[in-house]
Structures are given as C-alpha cells and as structure tokens.
Amino acid sequence: MKSQGPVARARELREALDLFNYQYYVLDAPTVPDAQYDRFFRELQALEEAHPELRTPDSPTQRVGSAPREGFREIRHKVPMLSLNNGFSEEDVLHFDRRVREILQREQVAYACEPKFDGLAVSLLYRDGRLDEGSTRGDGETGEDVTANLRTIRAIPLRLPLDSPPPLLEVRGEVLMEKRDFEALNRAQAARGEKLFVNPRNAAAGALRQLDPALTAQRPLSFFAYGVGEAVGWPIPDSQGELMERLAQLRFPVPSERAVVQGAEGLLRFFSKMSEIRPALRYDIDGVVYKVNAFSQQQELGFVSRAPRFALAHKFPAEEALSEILDIDVQVGRTGALTPVARLRPVFVGGVTVTNATLHNEDEIRRKDIHIGDQVWVRRAGDVIPEVVSVVLAERPPQARAFVMPSRCPICGSRVVRSEGEAASRCSGGLYCPAQRKQALLHFAQRRAMDIDGLGDKLVDQLVDSGLVRTPPDLYGLGLATLADLPRMGDKSARNLLEAIDRSRETTLSRFIFALGIRNVGETTARDLARHFGDLPALLAADGESLQQVPEVGPVVARSILDFLGEEHNREVIDRLLDCGIRWVAAPALAQRPQPLAGMTLVLTGVLPHLSRDEARARIEGAGGKVTGSVSKRTHYVVAGADPGSKLERAQELGVPVLDESQLLSLLNQDLSKS
Ligand code: IVH
C-alpha cells in the first residue's frame, strides 16, 4: 500500500470515503468507526495539500468549498419541473384510476407509489459523472443555482460510481430535513436564544437559500431522489419502479417506503399503510404520490397544462384539533387592512404548535359565530395559515364575549373605516400609521409619484428601521452625514439620494395627489382631480358632492378621499410636506378657467426647451385638452421639440398642424372657446 503513488492512493481514499459516506448518510448503516473515516479524510486532505493537482471538485474534502455569494444565479431547467394534481379523497383516487384506464384502454394499470416528501424539489445535473449544477424548482421553468449549497448535503453523491459515466444525467428529488435533525436544530436554536423554525420544511428551505454554503453545511439536510430529467448516454429504464432501483444503485437515497401496486385497490391500500406509519417515519410527508409505472404509458397519457395526467398526489387530510379562543387581537397590514387574529390556547396540529389563527374579517367572525372564550376546532394543512373551522356552541361559557371591531386603529389611533361592499376594515391614517409606513414611503417615492430615484425597498427598510424616517416629510430633513452612516451606503450614494429628494420638491399637483396613497386614487384619478381643482386647497375643501363632479369619481372614490383627508393625522403630514418646500404650478379651478383646448387631442414629441413632458401634459390637460401617444387624423396638433421622433413625420404626412413650445404657450393663453 505504501509503495502506491499519490494519484492511486488519493483515488483509493476518495472511493473509500464515498462508500463510508453512502453507508452512513444514505443507508444509515455505517461499517467503520468515525475515527477511521476521520483518519482517511485527513490523509486525503494532506495528500491534496501536498499535490494540489489531485484536488478534484468531486473529492469528499470539497463539499464546502466556495465562498459566500451575493445572490443566486437563475437556471433555466432543460425539462420543466412540473407540479402534481392533488386528490384528497378515495373518490378522487378512483376517478384518477378510471381516467387512466380509459385513456390507456386497460382493465388494470400498474402504479408506482411513493411518499410525497414535504421538502423542496431540486434538480442535480451530473456532467461526465460529476455533480456540476444544482438548482431549485423555482417556478418550474427557472430555478436558482444552489450548487454550492447542495454539494454540502452528504446524501447527495458528488460523483456517480460508474466507470464510464454518461455525459449528462439530471436527477430530481427532494431536499428535506429529517424530524430528529429538525428537533436537534431547534434545541440548539433555543439554547442560543435564537428564533425557532416552524417546521422541518421551513428550516430546510432557509438552509438551502443561505448565501454562504458554510452555513448550509451546518444544517443537517437530507435528500431523496424520485426521478430523472434530461439524460444523455444513460438508457432510461422502462418504468418508474425500475428507475428507482437504478437510482439506488447510483447511491442516491430512495425511500424504502415505496411499492409498485395494481389498480385503485392497490393505491388505496398503499395510502392507508402510509397513513399508519406516517408518525414513525423519519421525515415529514404530506401525502403519497401515485405514478403510472410504465414510462410508455406515462407518455401516452401526457400532460394537462402544468401537471401530468399520469400522476396524482394523494394528500393527507388537514389535521384538526380542539382549542380555545383566549382573545382576539387586531393586526394592521401594510396597506392598512385590519385583520382580526385569534389568540389560541396552544395546540399541536399538523406538525406544529399553533397559537394564532387568522379570522380574516368581521363578517367571517359573524358567519362562524366566534366569541372570545369559545372552544373551537382549529385546522392546519401544509404551509397554510392555521384557521378556525368551527365553534363548539354547546360548550360556550356564559362569560363568552362577542368581538367588536375597534373604531380606532390599534397602531396609530386613526379612525377605522369600512367601505360599503368591502369586507375589510381599514385604518384611514395611511400617511401616518406606523404599520403602513414602509408601504406609504415606497408609494410616495415611486417614479410615477414623487420620483425619488434610488429610494427602494431596502433603503426604506433601513430608514424606517433605524427610526430616521417615520413619514414622508422626514425624507426632506435627512442630512448627508446621517445617510452616509447607514450600512451599505457610501458618501456617493448618500449624495445622489439627497439630490433626488431635493429634485422631487418640484413636482406637479397630480403627482403629489397620487403620492399621498389615498385608497382608490390611482394615477388617472389623481390627474383628474388635479385638473378639476387646479390647486390643493380647493381639493382639501371639497365635499362629497363636489368631488363627484370630477369625471370618473363616484361615491366610493369620493368616500375614500374624504376618509383620508378627514383624518387629522394625514392633514398634519400634508401640511408638513408643504412646509418642506414641495411645489407645483397651480391653476385656477377648472370651472373658473378658460378651456382653450377643450375637446382637442395633442401629441408631444421631442424635447421642449422649457417644459418637461409632465408639465406640458399638465398644462394641456389643464386647458381641457387630451394628450395621446400616437398621431392620427383625429389629432389636432403635434407639439414638437428638439430631436422629434417619427411622430413629426407622421404629422406632416397627415397634414396635422405642428407647434413649437412658444406656439403651444400662446395657444394656452388664448381663449378660443366662444364665450
Ligand atoms: S414527482 C411529474 N415524486 O411535489 C411529477 N414529486 O407537486 C414531478 N414531491 O415540486 C414530481 N414527493 O417537490 C414527485 N415522490 C415524489 C414527490 C414529489 C414530493 C413534490 C415535488 C414537486 C411537487 C409537485
């Protein structure tokens, strides 16, 4: 052995370590003591150290090799990763089998049955027998490149144990965390005082999406194979059952709880057996999967939209448990919707301890007749939010209390309103309410509103979380030093942001109105309001009747505006914004304004010397005209500036009169309407 050259010895060590690894992680049947594994491992490390050319990417020493990354690259799947149709009852299974038999014109069909793992689907691409690329399912078409993270999973072979491996083999399966590993992980989290994971699936998902593979390696992930995608130079067997055997030979973990059965009867027997052993399984499953066994028959059956006709996921029924409503809290969402949430006596259901359940809205509470103090059935299925199914009315205690939606926002104290025909109650303090802060700022800063370039999600999070910004006017008080001190913000970006904030002071009334984030007031309505009222004080003073004189503003929109402007907190924020120097060119109210362009359609092209596109549009609209994007025979004027586009040519072709900026301005000042 000692006379062996380093090349041969390294290969021998790698093969031995691969085998020990397989026995330990896949078969769960180690054949050597840990100490021997470690000795081999260190010897290989030393050899590779001395002869770096021997260090191959598929070496067992290279599982955690690469550095953290910034984000994940997208990978387009060569063969789409499909989803499965779900069945929930015996009837669904019988129906599935009936259709399969009808299409195949068979008396009886053989099915491969497998557990339905509750983890994350991944694809592993082996090029020339080496794990080269691994990705998540994503939307089925494109996933994320998580190769480095998948390499850390010991149950996944880095190398196929074949003398002449195929040029390409794509193995698909599920990454998951075994229950015992999950429990150990949560014990460790608790000991460190860190947040607990809700269930093994979430823990696995979090681990797989770590940007630093070293962190993934610390989380005990497992893998099960259940299919192949693309294969070149690897003859695909005839059936799913045989495929699983072949994958097992390649040292992929496949579930031993699998079977090939005949007909619907066989399916249902498999289902009840799996339901029985489910609690004893080492991993979570949320049902079983049936696949027509013969691949030729699978092909004949084909697909409907995104799911194969040859397979069915038979889900376990959602679990229910009895609990008690201790109280009902109200949460305020990012958009101001108030959601009543039941605080429950903790109950273990569907694999997790549930302490809250959403009650959706007031009507839902009435419909289910839920009182505080009631005994209730709670249901939880898969990853969905737990819900209260029903009340045990016979057990209602005399002191049970009905729920009343608060009239003031529990977060900011603004009035709570509920529009006619809407299920949700909402906080009306949109500009002021801490629950809606981030949303309000993002809306305010967006391009079509105040257009503060660079103020995106991440920055808003930082500004709000650090307490620097509460409401939009705070933006205008930010200083260079404070901003430049924020993590990941340099001097240059801070300067750019301040400039963008400063630039936004000069705006138009319609942008400003849109930026306020009044419910039901989009860009178009904001423009209509601006045109109609001409300036802000007129809008602020409007009542329901005058609001409804604005085109397209009906009772619902009028109500939203009145609710918003009627909230003192919002008024204060608006006043502060004006104090920050936000300004626009005001116009008299439409009713008092000459309408020289009433009924006319204009098209803008090129860069005007003084007016921005927005200003030109606002002025034309203020004069009763309409601005459209393309020139036709019905266009009254084309306004052309420098570098006009093809619109100018088109105007000339059609004989549409062309104006320059000064001609437009004089037209605007002329009263052409016959009064
Ligand atoms: S086969 C063409 N087999 O279920 C069928 N999927 O709803 C492709 N899953 O994203 C999937 N266990 O994550 C298959 N034994 C199993 C499975 C399984 C779990 C998941 C998989 C996929 C989802 C489809």
Side-chain angles (χ1 to χ4, degrees), residues 81-86 114-122 137 173-174 226 240 244 286 289 291 303 308 310-311 313:
M81 293 181 77
L82 301 162
S83 45
L84 292 167
N85 286 322
N86 289 327
E114 296 161 11
K116 183 165 192 314
F117 305 103
D118 198 7
L120 301 120
V122 297
R137 173 174 184 272
E174 198 94 344
Y226 54 62
Q240 175 68 15
M244 296 294 263
D286 56 353
V289 183
K291 301 171 184 172
F303 302 85
F310 57 77

Side-chain angles (χ1 to χ4, degrees), residues 444-453 500-501 503-504 511:
F444 183 84
Q446 68 174 292
R447 197 174 51 78
R448 295 176 298 140
M450 299 302 280
D451 193 17
I452 305 180
D453 197 22
I501 291 174
R503 249 182 304 170
S504 76
R511 278 174 177 273

